Amino acid sequence: MKYKGYEAIVEFDEKADIFHGEVINIRDVITFQGSSVEELKQAFHDSVDDYLEFCKERGEEPEQPFSGKLMVRINPQLHQRIANRAKQEGKSLNSWIEKCLSEYTSKSGYIQS
């Protein structure tokens, strides 16, 4: 589910007979629940709106969905092998890593947006 740039995942709790969700593309915690799809969607929208209003009231900037920048520290030898492989394929280091991560997550059964 997506709303105002925020993305959520949803699960169904069979014992409680309720859907519950959480925004996944920020570090702050935004959760919601509902007993029907319509109720769940409305709760998601309300939770995001409440989060944005809460930040505004406190004079804080709300956390924005991930920017796409990722800083990673790795072994220098691995860094060199990756850079060499990217160069062999005629790609920048960033585009090669993005391609590899995209391929890995699609093969592993992760949900892609």
Side-chain angles (χ1 to χ4, degrees):
M1 296 173 52
K2 293 183 182 181
Y3 177 66
K4 294 187 177 180
Y6 295 91
E7 187 173 341
I9 57 170
V10 175
E11 293 182 357
F12 181 69
D13 183 336
E14 194 171 347
K15 290 181 181 178
D17 200 31
I18 197 162
F19 295 100
H20 58 90
E22 180 177 355
V23 172
I24 59 171
N25 60 339
I26 62 172
R27 287 181 290 273
D28 284 341
V29 178
I30 303 174
T31 61
F32 53 95
Q33 65 182 32
S35 57
S36 69
V37 173
E38 286 306 313
E39 192 176 299
L40 182 73
K41 286 180 182 179
Q42 187 61 54
F44 173 45
H45 293 188
D46 291 346
S47 291
V48 169
D49 290 339
D50 289 348
Y51 169 72
L52 296 173
E53 184 61 32
F54 176 74
C55 290
K56 183 178 178 181
E57 288 173 4
R58 294 186 60 167
E60 299 174 355
E61 285 295 316
E63 190 174 332
Q64 297 299 312
F66 291 113
S67 67
K69 296 178 185 176
L70 175 67
M71 298 293 293
V72 179
R73 300 210 187 289
I74 60 175
N75 176 293
Q77 290 80 20
L78 177 59
H79 188 173
Q80 183 177 7
R81 289 195 317 265
I82 292 170
N84 290 344
R85 185 69 179 268
K87 194 171 207 171
Q88 289 171 354
E89 293 185 20
K91 296 185 177 289
S92 71
L93 185 59
N94 284 336
S95 65
W96 189 85
I97 291 170
E98 181 179 10
K99 174 188 73 98
C100 290
L101 291 173
S102 179
E103 289 173 0
Y104 178 81
T105 57
S106 64
K107 289 179 188 174
S108 299
Y110 291 100
I111 298 171
Q112 293 183 331
S113 54

